[in-house]
Amino acid sequence: MKKTLVPLSCLLLLACGGAPTVDQLAKDPELLAKVMLQCAELGLKGEDTNIAKCNNAQKAMKKKMDETTELLERIGKELGN
């Protein structure tokens, strides 16, 4: 059931024109990948990427990278590095 709801919610968010939030994108890697791809395609076409969904996707990517860096630092401390 969950596998059906995730793509459905992605389609509804994108079809309704509402930009997914940073938290929604950070929690849903498939949605984040889809939005990042859409923004890359806009950029390749020379269209404006300074829009809510692209900005939110960039912030979500930064959030995910910061979380990963923090986790790696904690693991390093636990291992004594």
Side-chain angles (χ1 to χ4, degrees):
M1 179 76 170
K2 183 178 179 182
K3 289 187 178 195
T4 305
L5 290 177
V6 171
L8 181 60
S9 64
C10 295
L11 290 175
L12 289 174
L13 279 171
L14 297 174
C16 296
T21 66
V22 173
D23 286 335
Q24 287 171 325
L25 291 165
K27 290 178 184 175
D28 187 343
E30 289 180 26
L31 179 58
L32 178 56
K34 180 178 255 184
V35 172
M36 291 294 289
L37 180 60
Q38 289 173 348
C39 294
E41 289 172 349
L42 287 174
L44 289 173
K45 293 178 185 176
E47 296 180 26
D48 188 16
T49 58
N50 189 19
I51 56 177
K53 72 178 177 181
C54 296
N55 293 335
N56 288 350
Q58 288 178 337
K59 290 175 187 174
M61 285 295 291
K62 182 175 180 344
K63 181 177 180 178
K64 298 296 282 179
M65 290 186 333
D66 290 347
E67 290 171 356
T68 301
T69 300
E70 184 180 308
L71 177 62
L72 290 173
E73 288 173 355
R74 286 192 317 218
I75 291 171
K77 286 180 184 177
E78 289 291 322
L79 295 175
N81 293 330

